[in-house]
Amino acid sequence: FHSKDEIRKLDRAILVEGYMDLVSLYQAGVKNVVASSGTSLTDEQIQLLSRFTKNIFVLFDADSAGQKAALRSIELLLKQDFEVKVIELPKGEDPDSYINKFGKEKFDEEVARAVNFLEYQTSQFEELGLFEDPSDMTKAIRELVRTLALVSDELKRNLLMKTISKKFNLREKLIESELNAALSQNKTRVETQSAKQVVKMETASASSEFNLATKYQAENPNEKELIRLLFSGDEKILGYIFDNVAVESFANLNYRKLADVIHDGWNEGKFSPADLVEKIESTDLKNFIMKLTLSDDSISRKWDELSFNGKIEKDTFEHAVDTVRSFQIFQIEEEIKQNNKRSSESKDERLQYELLLRNRELQDDKKAILGLKTKNEFDW
């Protein structure tokens, strides 16, 4: 889950399609890996990745569906100025099967043989026999040029244009003419989309501003860290959190849905990260998980230093205890705040008295939590 540090360190990420691929590669020591979670790569995921690297190695299944998904992902990545290479595994293999069968050393060799996006697309067209017939060949070359037009760096674009010209023994001027036409189409398309987006934003601005200001007003800042801990797959940590935090107490609806899925999995004895993601049907939630696990925003700076190898680490559990305590204190302080507001707005003396007594109980609870000393606690 904490791939971002390795991605930053190596300045490249390996993008896989399925979550099991991610888990298998990570467990084998390939830690600069992210997954699109079985869905088409989204602009939001790409923008998130760009915070850590601009170099992506695409590694999808070698079947027809995987190849099509790879080509779609390449186009999206090129539009966002990524350097894109493709890792091609032997036919019949996927990242999960390959790493389990051949190990990390052989996998690293496959990574070293990765080809640029243009070579990959050309090889796919060759396999389909599109260069055997003049009519098909024309369409295929135009498709290569259309992909090339997505590259924003003019120097790189011209060098790749020369590659196409040389490979197919065509005049550079001819390829350049096709490229200029594709660039013009891209510009028109972008301008049209921008105009539509402006209209959409203006239409929704009033209600959006209100919703953004109020939607997460009472969200507990410890919720994100609790979800990360729940996704550790550690039975001891899950048991402790669910013994002390109710699922319905999560204010953020996405966190609440995830906590509910994890709670169900925990009750069924299926709570590994892979099991949990398999239970999530919502594409939005799967994208949310990716955003969450790559996020820089950590409640505790200590969290990024914790080992994430699946073992029950002492400091990881103590971090869970600390996070639960912070969560509980926030809930208490939030209730006290709401009670004070109700009391000040009410003229009912009986209600004011009841709220006063309730706040005293809450203050006692808070003192008990702050004063709690167990062998599991740890001072950061």
Side-chain angles (χ1 to χ4, degrees):
F1 276 90
H2 289 264
S3 303
K4 63 180 185 292
D5 294 331
E6 195 72 8
I7 291 171
R8 280 200 185 103
K9 178 182 174 182
L10 299 176
D11 191 24
R12 66 173 182 265
I14 296 174
L15 174 67
V16 296
E17 193 173 8
Y19 196 79
M20 281 307 301
D21 296 326
L22 182 149
V23 171
S24 294
L25 290 174
Y26 195 95
Q27 289 177 342
V30 183
K31 298 187 176 180
N32 60 320
V33 58
V34 293
S36 60
S37 300
T39 65
S40 297
L41 191 64
T42 66
D43 288 333
E44 185 181 15
Q45 290 174 335
I46 293 170
Q47 289 169 9
L48 186 60
L49 277 171
S50 69
R51 294 166 55 188
F52 308 106
T53 185
K54 296 294 284 188
N55 300 300
I56 299 293
F57 285 65
V58 177
L59 175 57
F60 285 1
D61 294 353
D63 59 15
S64 176
Q67 291 169 356
K68 289 179 181 178
L71 291 173
R72 285 196 301 271
S73 298
I74 287 168
E75 290 191 5
L76 291 171
L77 290 163
L78 289 175
K79 287 178 182 178
Q80 299 291 338
D81 297 327
F82 277 80
E83 292 289 330
V84 184
K85 288 191 174 184
V86 182
I87 303 169
E88 297 185 89
L89 297 180
K91 291 293 182 184
E93 299 288 353
D94 57 42
D96 177 33
S97 66
Y98 188 91
I99 197 73
N100 285 310
K101 192 181 297 182
F102 300 106
K104 184 177 182 297
E105 186 175 343
K106 285 290 184 182
F107 180 81
D108 288 340
E109 292 176 7
E110 297 289 353
V111 174
R113 286 194 289 268
V115 298
N116 71 44
F117 69 92
L118 208 57
E119 291 177 87
Y120 175 75
Q121 193 172 18
T122 301
S123 70
Q124 296 305 306
F125 290 166
E126 285 176 339
E127 283 188 17
L128 294 171
L130 298 182
F131 299 130
E132 296 172 5
D133 176 79
S135 178
D136 289 340
M137 186 175 185
T138 300
K139 294 176 183 177
I141 292 175
R142 282 204 170 111
E143 187 64 21
L144 290 174
V145 172
R146 189 187 67 80
T147 305
L148 177 58
L150 300 174
V151 177
S152 60
D153 187 310
E154 186 175 0
L155 177 58
K156 182 180 178 182
R157 198 168 59 222
N158 285 335
L159 290 172
L160 289 170
M161 181 186 71
K162 291 178 183 294
T163 301
I164 294 176
S165 173
K166 185 176 180 180
K167 179 172 180 61
F168 297 103
N169 196 26
L170 295 169
R171 290 183 295 109
E172 282 187 26
K173 283 292 183 183
L174 180 60
I175 302 298
E176 185 178 5
S177 175
E178 292 289 338
L179 179 59
N180 288 335
L183 288 169
S184 178
Q185 287 179 350
N186 287 349
K187 183 179 179 182
T188 301
R189 189 179 300 112
V190 169
E191 289 173 349
T192 302
Q193 289 174 346
S194 297
K196 289 181 179 178
Q197 186 65 22
V198 168
V199 172
K200 184 178 179 181
M201 290 174 65
E202 289 175 349
T203 303
S205 61
S207 59
S208 294
E209 287 173 8
F210 176 78
N211 289 336
L212 286 172
T214 60
K215 187 174 182 180
Y216 299 112
Q217 187 173 351
E219 182 178 324
N220 193 317
N222 299 280
E223 291 185 7
K224 178 185 288 186
E225 196 74 348
L226 283 176
I227 292 297
R228 283 179 174 163
L229 287 161
L230 288 172
F231 262 95
S232 69
D234 186 320
E235 185 174 6
K236 185 179 179 183
I237 287 176
L238 267 69
Y240 181 82
I241 291 175
F242 286 131
D243 282 345
N244 291 278
V245 177
V247 170
E248 56 270 18
S249 64
F250 284 85
N252 183 298
L253 292 180
N254 278 328
Y255 294 152
R256 189 185 302 174
K257 289 175 184 176
L258 290 174
D260 193 41
V261 169
I262 298 168
H263 188 263
D264 288 345
W266 181 60
N267 286 331
E268 296 168 4
K270 296 180 179 180
F271 47 82
S272 72
D275 288 331
L276 296 172
V277 173
E278 285 298 318
K279 290 172 68 69
I280 297 171
E281 297 179 358
S282 166
T283 298
D284 289 340
L285 270 186
K286 287 186 176 181
N287 289 337
F288 183 78
I289 292 170
M290 180 179 180
K291 184 176 181 179
L292 176 68
T293 56
L294 284 175
S295 172
D296 268 338
D297 302 326
S298 180
I299 301 299
S300 168
R301 286 174 294 177
K302 184 73 175 175
W303 173 250
D304 285 332
E305 301 169 12
L306 301 179
S307 172
F308 211 82
N309 56 12
K311 297 179 181 178
I312 300 178
E313 298 286 344
K314 179 183 176 185
D315 50 358
T316 308
F317 180 76
E318 288 168 345
H319 173 65
V321 173
D322 184 70
T323 305
V324 167
R325 185 193 300 114
S326 297
F327 180 92
Q328 292 171 328
I329 290 172
F330 179 90
Q331 298 292 86
I332 289 172
E333 291 177 343
E334 189 65 26
E335 186 177 345
I336 290 173
K337 189 189 302 180
Q338 294 299 321
N339 289 344
N340 287 337
K341 183 180 179 182
R342 288 180 63 196
S343 180
S344 65
E345 293 175 349
S346 175
K347 295 181 180 180
D348 186 335
E349 292 184 358
R350 182 181 179 85
L351 175 62
Q352 290 175 338
Y353 180 69
E354 289 175 352
L355 291 172
L356 176 63
L357 291 179
R358 174 58 182 160
N359 279 356
R360 286 179 179 173
E361 292 176 358
L362 291 169
Q363 290 289 3
D364 288 341
D365 290 343
K366 180 179 176 181
K367 289 177 183 177
I369 292 170
L370 289 172
L372 187 63
K373 292 293 180 184
T374 74
K375 63 180 181 179
N376 291 324
E377 291 190 23
F378 183 84
D379 294 323
W380 297 105

